[in-house]
Each structure stands twice: as C-alpha cells, then as structure tokens.
Amino acid sequence: MKLSELKTGEHAVIAKVHGHGGFRKRLVEMGFVQGKEIEVLLNAPLQDPVKYKIMGYEVSLRRQEADMIEVMQSQPQTQTQPQTPVINVALVGNPNCGKTSLFNFASGAHGHVGNYSGVTVDASEAHASYYGYNFRLTDLPGTYSLSCYSPEELYVRRHLTHQMPDVVINVIDSSNLERNLYLTTQLIDMDLRMVCALNMYDEFERRGDTVNLDTLSTLFGTPMIPTSFKRGTGINELFKTVIQVYEDSHRHARHIHINYGHEIEHGIKHIQQHLREDDTLNHACYSTRYLAVKLLERDKDIEQFVRKMSNSDEVLEARDMADARVMEEKKTDSETAIMDAKYGFIHGALREAAYTLGTKQDTYRMTHFIDDVLSNKYFGFPIFFLILFIMFHTTFTLGQYPMDWIDAGVEWLGEWVGSALAEGPFRSMLVDGIIGGVGAVIVFLPQILILYFFISLMEDSGYMARAAFIMDKLMHKMGLHGKSFIPLIMGFGCNVPAIMGTRTIESRRSRLITMLIVPFMSCSARLPIYIMITGTFFAVEYQSWVMISLYVIGIITAVIVSKIFSTFIIKGEDTPFVMELPPYRWPTGKAIARHTWDKGKEYLKKMGGIILVASIIVWALGYFGPSGTAPSMEDSFIGLMGRSVEPLFQLQGFNWKLDVSLIAGVGAKEIVASTIGVLGGLEEITPLAAYCYLLFVLLYFPCIATIAAIKNETGSWKWALFAACYTTLLAWLVSAVVYQVGNCFVS
C-alpha cells in the first residue's frame, strides 16, 4: 500500500521508494529507507501535507510525495511482526525468448507458449514463492524494443514506468545475444533494477558458443544468469539473484549510462537542464536523462508528455538544436545515431566479454532443411493445405468414436431421466432443455480437443510463423499485412484473443482491417455446428471436404473484403513485413497436453454456464406460449418469434427453427447447436439448404464477446457495430445467392 493511504495514528514499515534522481535521493537521505518504521502523526487542516515520525524525528510530506512510497502496515507501539515480503517482478523480452515458459514454470500458471510473435497479447499475472519471498510475476507482451511504434511496445513501456516493478527479469535468447541485448540497453536507459536471464543456455553451450558472463554482467551493470526454462535449470539461481538485486546487495547490480558519443551526450545534458526547471518532474516516473534520450529519438508519446510542462517550448527547442548539431556532425539524425551507438556498445561489450560462436552445431541447420521442404516455392502451399486436410480428417474420423460414446451416454441419460420422472414441465426442462441442449454440444468435445491439439502443435513448433511467411505475398496483394495472418490463424481457435492479437501489427490501417475480417475465421465455437450439420447431411467421404470448403471460403471472403476495405474505405500507410522466423523446436508433450486440456476445460465451462442458461431459455420459450403451455412448438413464444422472421430467410431455404437458432447464436455460437438440439428442424431442409445454413453461420454476426473486443481495441462502438452489421448482411447475401443458384442445378 502507499504511505498516503495510512490514517492518523497508524504505523507501517517502508518497503520501497519510487521515483528518480534528486527526489528519490532526498527522501533516502532523510531516512525513508526500506525496513524503517514510520508513524502518521497529523494531517494539516486541508489534509495536505501530512506529518510523519521516522527514525526519532518528525517530517512533513505532501500526499503527492507520499504516493511514491510503498509501505507494509504494522501494529502500533509493538515490535514489527515479520511479514513475507512481496517482490513485484515484470518479465520483459523479445518474442520467442521464453518469457511465458518462465512464467509457467515458476508459478505453475498455464499461459500458452506459442512459437511466433505476439502470443502474449496482454499482461498475465501469477504468484510464486522462493527463499521466503513471494513474487508477483507479470508476463508482459513480447517486444523487440520500447519505442511507441506499436500498442504492445507502448503497453510494456507504460507498465514499467507507471506500475514501477521492483525488479525486471529481462529474458534473453542466448542463441541471438546481440539482437536481444538491444532491448536490454533500452531498459538500462530507464534506470530499472534488472536481472538478465540468458535462456536456452543449454543450446548455447551445445553449439560451442562461449562468453564470460562475469565480464558481461559488469559491463551491463546487471547480473546475467544462464537458464533453460524448458528444463527448469537456473530458475532457483535466477530468483536468488532477483532477491539480491531487490535488496541492493548484488555486486553486479549498478546503474550505468551508455555513452552515445560527444555530440549526443552534449545534447542530452543541455535538454536535461531545461527539464529540471519544471518542478513537476520531481514526482514523475521518468528520469531526465531518459526523457532527453527519447526526445532525441522523436518519441511521440514522450513529446506529448513534455508538452504538458510549463517550459515545453524551451525543452523542444533544445532538442531541435541538439538534433541539428548531430546531423551536422554525423550526417544522420539523432534517432539513427542513438541506435548505432547502442549496437556499438553491445558489440564492444560482447568483444570484451570474449563472446565467440561455436562450430559444433548450428541451431538453424535442421530448420533450414525443414524450410527447404515446408516453405518451398512449389510445395509450400500444397503442404499447407495437406496439413489442414489431415487436421480436419483426423478430427472427424478419430473423434467420431468418442463422440458416438458420449452421444450414446447422453441419449441413455435422457431416457433414464425421462422414465424416472412424471410427465410435466420439470421433466421436459431436464430432458428436452438441459440434456437435449447441453448434450447436443458436449458430444463435440473430442473433436474440439483434437483440433486444438493440431493448432497447439503448429504454434509451438514454429510452423505457424512459416504459414504467415508463405501467405504474405498473397495477402499483401489483397491489401493485408503479412503479420495479419497470425491473428487470423488465432481466430480459428477463438476470435476474441485473435482481435487482441492484432496489437502486434504496427500499422493502424492494417490492424483495423484485420480486426474487421477476423470474424470470418471459423472459431472453435462454430465447430459443433459444422460437425452437426455436416455429419447429418453429407456422406463420410465428403465431410472433410465440406469442412475445408468452409474454412477456405472464410479465408477467401476475408481476403476479398480486406482488399475492398483497403482500396475504398480505410486509407493509410502500411508498414513493412518484418517478422522473426524462429528455429523449429519440437514441443513437449506436457505443454501440448496442457494447452489442449485448457481449451477443453474452457469448453466445458461454457457447457455449465452460458450454454446451460441458453438451453433452458430456449426450452422455456418453446414450451410456453401466450396462453400458457403451448399445444405445439409453432404456438409457443419461440414459434411465434420464428414465424415472424421466417420471411427474411425464404431465399435461403431455412425453416423457422433454424432462423431462431441463428438469432440465439448472437450471444455465443455454441448456442446455435444447443438450440437445434432443443428445437430440431434439420429434418425439414435439403442438403443444399444445410450448406447455405453453414455459410450463414460462417459469415454472420460474430458473438457479443468479439464485438466487445473490437470496441475495446478500436476505442469506438462505430467499428464494432459496423462489423456486426456488414458481416450479417454479407452472410444473408452469400447464402441466398448460393441457394438460388444451386437450386437451378439441383432442379
């Protein structure tokens, strides 16, 4: 808690003093140090400032200053009771460096590890305990830098500056030290207490690479700990070091300044002089040096922050003068000069630390061999679609056996309950509503698990990134960014995290277009509907092809719509396609099993939540009518509702029961299957109408959660409502055209 939250007469023990520079130094000099007890004596008449007692003397602080001091409460006038310290730790690193593996291993959390950029689309939080300390771990999105070019970069930076973690664990991929250490230099600029975890160090040693970690730690002013999160080696040493850094007792932990050269350093000092003239910076979460560096880098977010200062014009003028001198001296702008200086510092430090590359084993050797086949000019696309076919064919054929067992179990349960209870509303609700509705969806659990097994295998192995690589040129021609393929693939699992996954796309134009077409990706919630309709109307040998056609049509529709949007509706500049292609790694069976089961567990939770409630509501609307118990389904409330909207779907060949199921699916797509399970209606349509029904389900209104996600990511209901309306209209048009044209051939 904060010192400002204490009331008069309360005691506490100081845990941490936030802030930078002179402000923090002044407080520490006055005795505000970790472990010292402090008592609130008196509030001024206007409740600010507040008088405190610390180390035997009295001192007053404004509440604004007291907000920067964290305390742990203790009992008044008694010996301080020992409390388990809580250390706030932020995990920062490049995509694919192993942050989420550390997060999972240390805390037992089940965050998914995807071997492609952007799997961590939001911060996850968990707790761990080591050596008598509790750790609050925050797994931040993977990012290559802390600029403000993408929402992820800005999110990570703001978390570090506003939440002020006690220690940052900078996870580094040992196989690419020079590139990964660039982010480390930016963290050094921020003056954060930090520990570097050199992950995958077992691969580093197996290749024969060498580096003097003691020298490297000294040069960077931060401990470098070799780890392998996959095997759990180095974890204990890592957290022991975090404790030492937190307690300011580690010999390598010291703040350093990266020297950017004479002209830039002169400019930094000149800008700092003007920044210090504004008193508000004494309480800011930025140091003046960091602000000066970011201003020279033309960081728009920092510029907005500085413009709120009373002397912002003088500060920005000093920045422009410094930038002009750098251009005159180095023939390049300050941002480029700073980046060059960072890499120069990294290169020099690695050379001094005797960093050498071994020749025993090339991590990418097997990757290159596999890529020669999977990403081949001629075989890449056929293999990609073959993998999809195998995935869906296995989902159908292998999943059919447990599906039949569950189906038989649901049928037996319904018959047993029906025979055990007397005729009436309660019996009907249990048999037709709950067992019929929930049972119609739960039978597809095996297929859901098999599908997620394949998706997890492709993500964790690194093939998903290759899929984006394969599809980039085609997508770029159609107006999409290559990185858009990652959220689109994620959409096959669930549209909501896929919408959030668009944060990895730097261009707002591409990000917005991707969000608007993600609903065309067939999420797992649609899978029960596909399996139900396909299994009912099509022979076994055609079922996989029908399924693939739906996924392909969704992708083709997304591409066409994105081209229309990028050409006529949403204008703006795109960004280059730059995405890391990590080496192929064979995922652990435990990781895949855990990810698969987590998704299955989410599916089961829906059965006991929204699907159960929806099934009961659909049953009630079908059981009762305006005059009480409905003599027939057509006379019930849901029958009247269906009859009223039936004319809207005459061109598609749907009956009123299917119309009602589509309306129910607005809340969640699984409700479509449960509604059909309660009402029936499939026996009254033709295979052509069934396929058009599948097309409508594929294209129409995404679920409420997806619409809310679009609103949150765009910051506006305009685009969320636009997505809801245009997808539904498109679904109506496509299904109507296919049915009418198909009828010409059938008849």
Side-chain angles (χ1 to χ4, degrees), residues 264-321:
I264 294 178
E265 289 295 334
H266 178 78
I268 289 173
K269 291 177 181 177
H270 186 53
I271 297 170
Q272 282 183 286
Q273 290 175 359
H274 290 279
L275 288 171
R276 293 189 181 110
E277 294 174 2
D278 192 295
D279 293 335
T280 58
L281 274 185
N282 285 335
H283 312 287
C285 44
Y286 303 108
S287 68
T288 56
R289 179 177 174 85
Y290 177 73
L291 288 176
V293 171
K294 300 310 289 183
L295 285 172
L296 285 170
E297 290 181 335
R298 300 282 174 173
D299 189 288
K300 291 183 174 58
D301 185 63
I302 294 299
E303 281 191 13
Q304 291 178 0
F305 174 81
V306 169
R307 289 186 188 280
K308 299 175 183 177
M309 297 170 55
S310 58
N311 63 334
S312 60
D313 291 340
E314 290 86 348
V315 173
L316 295 176
E317 184 180 352
R319 186 274 310 273
D320 293 339
M321 290 175 59

Side-chain angles (χ1 to χ4, degrees), residues 281-534:
L281 274 185
N282 285 335
H283 312 287
C285 44
Y286 303 108
S287 68
T288 56
R289 179 177 174 85
Y290 177 73
L291 288 176
V293 171
K294 300 310 289 183
L295 285 172
L296 285 170
E297 290 181 335
R298 300 282 174 173
D299 189 288
K300 291 183 174 58
D301 185 63
I302 294 299
E303 281 191 13
Q304 291 178 0
F305 174 81
V306 169
R307 289 186 188 280
K308 299 175 183 177
M309 297 170 55
S310 58
N311 63 334
S312 60
D313 291 340
E314 290 86 348
V315 173
L316 295 176
E317 184 180 352
R319 186 274 310 273
D320 293 339
M321 290 175 59
D323 193 30
R325 283 197 301 269
V326 172
M327 177 64 73
E328 182 180 353
E329 177 79 17
K330 295 182 174 291
K331 308 302 180 187
T332 187
D333 59 89
S334 297
E335 182 179 12
T336 304
I338 289 173
M339 287 191 292
D340 290 343
K342 285 182 184 293
Y343 274 115
F345 170 78
I346 295 168
H347 181 73
L350 289 175
R351 183 174 56 190
E352 192 169 339
Y355 174 57
T356 58
L357 295 174
T359 57
K360 293 181 181 178
Q361 180 181 345
D362 179 8
T363 304
Y364 283 87
R365 183 176 58 184
M366 182 57 69
T367 292
H368 293 158
F369 175 77
I370 298 173
D371 270 342
D372 286 343
V373 179
L374 297 185
S375 302
N376 184 273
K377 177 180 179 181
Y378 302 104
F379 303 133
F381 279 104
I383 290 175
F384 176 61
F385 287 109
L386 176 63
I387 290 173
L388 290 181
F389 176 79
I390 293 173
M391 179 172 70
F392 293 128
H393 187 70
T394 305
T395 298
F396 267 111
T397 55
L398 186 61
Q400 187 64 44
Y401 298 102
M403 176 182 171
D404 290 340
W405 302 334
I406 297 174
D407 191 30
V410 170
E411 186 177 350
W412 173 84
L413 180 62
E415 292 174 355
W416 181 78
V417 172
S419 62
L421 297 176
E423 188 74 36
F426 182 69
R427 174 183 179 276
S428 178
M429 181 186 71
L430 285 179
V431 176
D432 301 325
I434 296 176
I435 298 176
V438 175
V441 182
I442 201 172
V443 295
F444 301 109
L445 178 62
Q447 281 91 342
I448 295 292
L449 294 176
I450 293 171
L451 181 66
Y452 269 110
F453 169 81
F454 278 101
I455 291 178
S456 176
L457 185 63
M458 288 192 292
E459 288 178 347
D460 292 1
S461 66
Y463 181 70
M464 203 70 87
R466 268 66 185 185
F469 172 74
I470 292 169
M471 298 293 290
D472 174 61
K473 185 173 182 179
L474 176 62
M475 299 184 76
H476 186 68
K477 285 181 178 294
M478 298 299 178
L480 268 181
H481 192 280
K483 277 190 178 179
S484 299
F485 194 70
I486 297 298
L488 294 179
I489 290 293
M490 291 173 66
F492 289 135
C494 179
N495 288 171
V496 174
I499 296 294
M500 298 170 67
T502 59
R503 297 175 188 175
T504 60
I505 306 170
E506 292 85 356
S507 165
R508 186 182 185 278
R509 167 183 167 274
S510 295
R511 191 162 63 249
L512 181 56
I513 294 174
T514 306
M515 277 189 272
L516 293 176
I517 64 171
V518 158
F520 296 133
M521 302 299 105
S522 294
C523 64
S524 60
R526 295 182 175 101
L527 190 61
I529 312 168
Y530 293 170
I531 296 174
M532 175 184 285
I533 303 298
T534 304

Side-chain angles (χ1 to χ4, degrees), residues 52-229:
Y52 299 96
K53 183 177 182 179
I54 185 170
M55 296 180 68
Y57 75 102
E58 298 177 1
V59 61
S60 70
L61 280 183
R62 295 190 184 119
R63 289 188 177 274
Q64 184 182 17
E65 296 160 342
D67 279 340
M68 305 292 285
I69 302 173
E70 284 188 19
V71 296
M72 295 186 298
Q73 214 162 2
S74 63
Q75 298 299 320
Q77 305 303 327
T78 62
Q79 186 176 2
T80 303
Q81 300 297 317
Q83 300 185 42
T84 303
V86 177
I87 304 178
N88 297 305
V89 176
L91 307 183
V92 180
N94 290 183
N96 305 310
C97 67
K99 284 187 305 80
T100 306
S101 296
L102 168 61
F103 182 76
N104 289 339
F105 191 96
S107 65
H110 293 169
H112 176 47
V113 183
N115 196 10
Y116 59 90
S117 174
V119 67
T120 311
V121 296
D122 210 339
S124 302
E125 192 172 288
H127 293 80
S129 296
Y130 287 90
Y131 302 106
Y133 283 78
N134 289 331
F135 296 86
R136 185 182 293 115
L137 304 175
T138 304
D139 183 19
L140 296 172
T143 178
Y144 293 106
S145 77
L146 295 177
S147 304
C148 60
Y149 297 120
S150 72
E152 280 192 322
E153 293 175 350
L154 197 55
Y155 180 90
V156 173
R157 192 169 79 188
R158 286 181 175 171
H159 179 91
L160 296 177
T161 54
H162 291 70
Q163 300 301 320
M164 292 186 178
D166 299 314
V167 180
V168 171
I169 294 181
N170 177 205
V171 182
I172 293 172
D173 180 358
S174 300
S175 65
N176 200 333
L177 274 180
E178 190 166 6
R179 203 280 312 283
N180 277 243
L181 286 171
Y182 183 82
L183 179 61
T184 309
T185 63
Q186 293 185 316
L187 294 169
I188 288 173
D189 284 341
M190 298 180 75
D191 191 11
L192 299 166
R193 287 194 280 190
M194 177 170 55
V195 177
C196 290
L198 301 185
N199 194 29
M200 294 176 263
Y201 204 75
D202 52 341
E203 295 182 14
F204 177 89
E205 292 180 318
R206 192 163 55 246
R207 285 196 311 268
D209 296 358
T210 60
V211 67
N212 188 318
L213 293 181
D214 188 70
T215 302
L216 198 64
S217 300
T218 301
L219 294 173
F220 275 84
T222 179
M224 302 275 181
I225 309 300
T227 60
S228 176
F229 301 143

